[in-house]
Amino acid sequence: MTHEISPLDVSSTEVDLALFGALGDLALRKLYPALYYLDREGLLPSATRVLGLARQEYDTAAFQDRVTEALKQRVKASDLDKESLKRFLARLDYAKVEFATVEGYEPIRAWREGAPRPMVVYLAVPASIYGAICRNLQDSGSLDDKARVVVEKPIGYDLESSQEINDAIGDVFPESRVYRIDHYLGKETVQNLIALRFANPLFGTQWNQNHISHVEITVAEQVGIEGRWGYFDQAGQLRDMVQNHLLQLVCLIAMDPPANLDADAIRDEKVKVLKALKPFTGEALGRDVVRGQYTAGTIDGQSVPGYLEEEGANTESHTETFVAMKTEVANWRWAGVPFYLRTGKRMPEKLSQIVIHFRQQPHYIFDPDQRSLAANKLIIRLQPEEGIALQVLTKDSGLDKGMRLRPGPLHLDFNSAFPKSRIPDAYERLLLEVMKGQQYLFVRRDEVEYAWHWCDQLIAGWEARGAPPRRYPAGSWGPVASIAMITQDGRSWYEDY
Ligand SMILES: NC(=O)C1=CN([C@@H]2O[C@H](COP(=O)(O)OP(=O)(O)OC[C@H]3O[C@@H](n4cnc5c(N)ncnc54)[C@H](OP(=O)(O)O)[C@@H]3O)[C@@H](O)[C@H]2O)C=CC1
Ligand SMILES: O=C1O[C@H](COP(=O)(O)O)[C@@H](O)[C@H](O)[C@H]1O
């Protein structure tokens, strides 16, 4: 069956959304603002309702006040108009639910009684309770055979725990109704990567080891762990960011063209990439992977504490807040092309970008001093300003310049190229796709498991070596060793745009 990615088929988005973890960080920071914008832009049919579910004693009015407060912090004041807010709040109900007992689910069953719309169950709670909630939803008679479930990352802590969680979800929901979120897949530029690669013959023909020398992916965050010590210290940056977001980016860059835009056609190709990722063995582990942990430092002129001084911290922790690595997709398209990945918390700026470095011309005829300039780069900026730039070489202008080369960008800045369109947050797009019942932006079970399989061998190697993470001051680009890792190949991390 061919999957059509229709632009905006609003009539098909009518659902009842049951939101577990309705007072949690994710719901307040991301989900209500996203739902509000969808509503404001006319993308929520009038019948769509939202039921917030959490353990705290709230009534609907108090819940609506809490959501309003969250919206005020996250939505631009000029976008938060009275009429849109009123319409949005009217969709919201709240029920206190004891998640662990079947009887606790009666409010959901009652809310759904006779409703013709499909139900979307969003689990904004720890993954350890996904299974219990799914089972209790089923046992309480709250589900029908159209209900969909949305689950957040990370699913589990390793391959084994993720299999247990996926089994428990799969006992209740078939894969075709499971939506595993990786919010990076909802980012505008990430989707543009699919368009760029597969709609432009210019890139399609060059996208392989004959023409590309190496690929860099940087996902740098300015924030620290944001009060999430309990979660983060168990996870670390590899599980929190690499296992999901960075590997999904690797997949989208490295995958072969899918036969069509069908969800499974795309996901089949992504899985092949995950299976082809080279494991780190022997000395490669010490040479090609760098773990770091931030110490106190300064960001934007403000002093910030080190990881071990964060609220709730354990002074012995060896959890990494930074990881850089050189890896390879070992297949015909990519053999011998290093993929340099790095991600860390408390970096000098928030910067997520992919840089594709093309090979130099086979024969060089310009000034030998300028030889290092002589390669094109494609820079795909995910955030903060979404855009794509192609670094090309032209002749420097002026009578005195001879044939001096000048590198310059052919630049597509989405905000100025498409000034009328607001760039939606990733969660807006993802929620809309769930409501439409389209899965192409969600992660299939085997993708999660192959990603864990690859991360598990890396973590096992780290544990066997027992080396603590290298320290780096907050506000720096990570341990010096991560710079040495790439310079030893005669390259450097690209930080311009
Ligand atoms: N926050 C973020 O930016 C991101 C979060 N995620 C994922 O989203 C999910 C939610 O995260 P987040 O909102 O940050 O977490 P929070 O801890 O802020 O909120 C979690 C919610 O789950 C409830 N909860 C926690 N433990 C239990 C339990 N044993 N039984 C019933 N309810 C429970 C909490 O209820 P109560 O208020 O009563 O304690 C709260 O409503 C997690 O899976 C996380 O990994 C993924 C990406 C980013
Ligand atoms: O999933 C997560 O992502 C955020 C970073 O997301 P971004 O959209 O701001 O780049 C990260 O801070 C968090 O630790 C992680 O769980």
Side-chain angles (χ1 to χ4, degrees):
M1 195 176 73
T2 305
H3 169 97
E4 268 193 26
I5 301 171
S6 52
L8 287 175
D9 180 5
V10 181
S11 64
S12 65
T13 64
E14 190 171 296
V15 296
D16 278 346
L17 175 65
L19 175 53
F20 285 82
L23 297 168
D25 177 72
L26 182 74
L28 294 168
R29 255 182 346 104
K30 292 287 186 183
L31 303 182
Y32 302 124
L35 287 165
Y36 171 79
Y37 270 115
L38 289 178
D39 193 6
R40 186 168 190 268
E41 298 198 355
L43 299 174
L44 293 190
S46 55
T48 291
R49 307 180 294 171
V50 179
L51 178 63
L53 300 157
R55 294 182 293 188
Q56 297 167 47
E57 202 66 70
Y58 265 64
D59 59 21
T60 292
F63 175 59
Q64 291 175 343
D65 287 348
R66 183 76 191 85
V67 172
T68 306
E69 198 185 303
L71 291 177
K72 283 185 178 156
Q73 283 169 19
R74 294 278 155 185
V75 173
K76 242 169 70 185
S78 55
D79 290 347
L80 201 58
D81 59 282
K82 256 190 185 159
E83 198 184 314
S84 307
L85 181 62
K86 190 173 162 207
R87 188 178 59 240
F88 178 64
L89 293 178
R91 298 176 185 277
L92 306 185
D93 275 311
Y94 178 83
K96 172 181 173 352
V97 167
E98 202 38 73
F99 295 169
T101 65
V102 183
E103 299 73 45
Y105 289 64
E106 178 50 26
I108 305 172
R109 207 202 48 73
W111 178 68
R112 282 288 294 160
E113 189 93 68
R117 302 165 282 280
M119 172 157 73
V120 170
V121 176
Y122 198 121
L123 301 182
V125 293
S128 53
I129 57 171
Y130 290 169
I133 294 181
C134 291
R135 207 170 36 253
N136 285 333
L137 277 166
Q138 186 171 55
D139 293 349
S140 62
S142 309
L143 299 178
D144 58 26
D145 62 5
K146 292 205 172 57
R148 304 166 202 160
V149 68
V150 184
V151 290
E152 274 290 344
K153 55 121 299 231
I155 299 190
Y157 177 81
D158 54 14
L159 176 59
E160 195 183 338
S161 56
S162 86
Q163 283 171 331
E164 279 168 22
I165 294 167
N166 278 321
D167 282 346
I169 297 170
D171 285 345
V172 176
F173 292 94
E175 185 65 27
S176 59
R177 291 195 267 122
V178 180
Y179 293 73
R180 292 182 193 81
I181 292 229
D182 183 310
H183 75 272
Y184 270 54
L185 295 182
K187 289 185 190 280
E188 188 77 3
T189 330
V190 175
Q191 290 177 47
N192 246 306
L193 195 49
I194 297 181
L196 187 79
R197 282 199 56 197
F198 304 126
N200 293 290
L202 174 67
F203 296 117
T205 55
Q206 306 289 304
W207 213 261
N208 56 49
Q209 44 85 17
N210 292 324
H211 303 285
I212 292 176
S213 69
H214 62 288
V215 175
E216 265 181 66
I217 303 179
T218 293
V219 178
E221 301 183 73
Q222 257 193 339
V223 294
I225 52 161
E226 303 283 275
R228 294 199 293 155
W229 173 274
Y231 154 74
F232 189 84
D233 198 56
Q234 294 295 311
Q237 196 74 353
L238 184 83
R239 292 184 176 93
D240 187 47
M241 296 294 288
V242 179
Q243 189 272 345
N244 33 80
H245 306 321
L246 275 90
L247 289 187
Q248 283 294 324
L249 297 180
V250 170
C251 286
L252 293 176
I253 294 164
M255 73 186 195
D256 279 353
N260 52 45
L261 288 175
D262 182 88
D264 277 333
I266 295 176
R267 299 190 297 185
D268 287 346
E269 295 305 333
K270 288 199 283 169
V271 164
K272 287 184 203 160
V273 173
L274 293 167
K275 283 162 115 171
L277 277 178
K278 244 190 194 168
F280 292 97
T281 49
E283 60 184 31
L285 198 64
R287 191 192 54 222
D288 295 340
V289 188
V290 176
R291 301 170 73 223
Q293 189 186 77
Y294 61 84
T295 54
T298 307
I299 297 184
D300 284 347
Q302 303 282 328
S303 301
V304 296
Y307 180 68
L308 298 179
E309 289 112 44
E310 295 280 10
E311 194 189 328
N314 162 358
T315 51
E316 292 303 310
S317 173
H318 282 179
T319 297
E320 82 286 351
T321 59
F322 173 95
V323 53
M325 62 180 72
K326 173 168 110 171
T327 184
E328 188 181 318
V329 179
N331 64 16
W332 280 63
R333 186 186 283 270
W334 294 110
V337 178
F339 279 63
Y340 299 97
L341 316 183
R342 69 173 168 169
T343 177
K345 307 234 183 272
R346 292 291 192 213
M347 310 261 96
E349 56 186 281
K350 184 173 176 79
L351 170 71
S352 299
Q353 75 181 13
I354 299 165
V355 186
I356 311 289
H357 295 260
F358 290 91
R359 289 192 191 281
Q360 295 192 352
Q361 295 282 35
H363 179 60
Y364 181 76
I365 57 173
F366 299 93
D367 182 347
D369 289 349
Q370 292 196 292
R371 193 167 183 127
S372 65
L373 296 177
N376 300 127
K377 295 175 195 55
L378 177 68
I379 302 143
I380 301 157
R381 172 71 73 96
L382 275 53
Q383 49 195 25
E385 287 96 30
E386 296 88 344
I388 294 174
L390 180 64
Q391 192 71 255
V392 293
L393 292 165
T394 52
K395 191 192 100 49
D396 208 352
S397 55
L399 294 173
D400 56 338
K401 298 290 184 343
M403 253 307 176
R404 291 284 300 171
L405 299 174
R406 186 179 56 178
L410 292 179
H411 212 145
L412 175 60
D413 171 343
F414 290 173
N415 281 310
S416 42
F418 311 114
K420 283 206 188 103
S421 50
R422 181 183 65 84
I423 294 182
D425 182 73
Y427 276 95
E428 290 174 48
R429 180 169 317 274
L430 294 172
L431 281 162
L432 193 61
E433 295 303 325
V434 178
M435 292 174 186
K436 288 198 259 177
Q438 295 191 342
Q439 280 187 308
Y440 78 111
L441 291 179
F442 297 86
V443 184
R444 204 169 59 190
R445 175 174 178 158
D446 51 351
E447 292 179 70
V448 175
E449 294 183 355
Y450 279 111
W452 273 126
H453 175 71
W454 185 79
C455 288
D456 281 0
Q457 54 80 30
L458 179 49
I459 292 166
W462 281 347
E463 283 171 0
R465 283 168 62 87
R470 296 166 194 269
R471 309 286 175 214
Y472 65 97
S476 71
W477 285 100
V480 179
S482 67
I483 296 164
M485 184 190 81
I486 189 166
T487 48
Q488 76 195 358
D489 294 345
R491 295 169 175 145
S492 56
W493 296 104
Y494 186 80
E495 277 146 22
D496 300 335
Y497 184 53

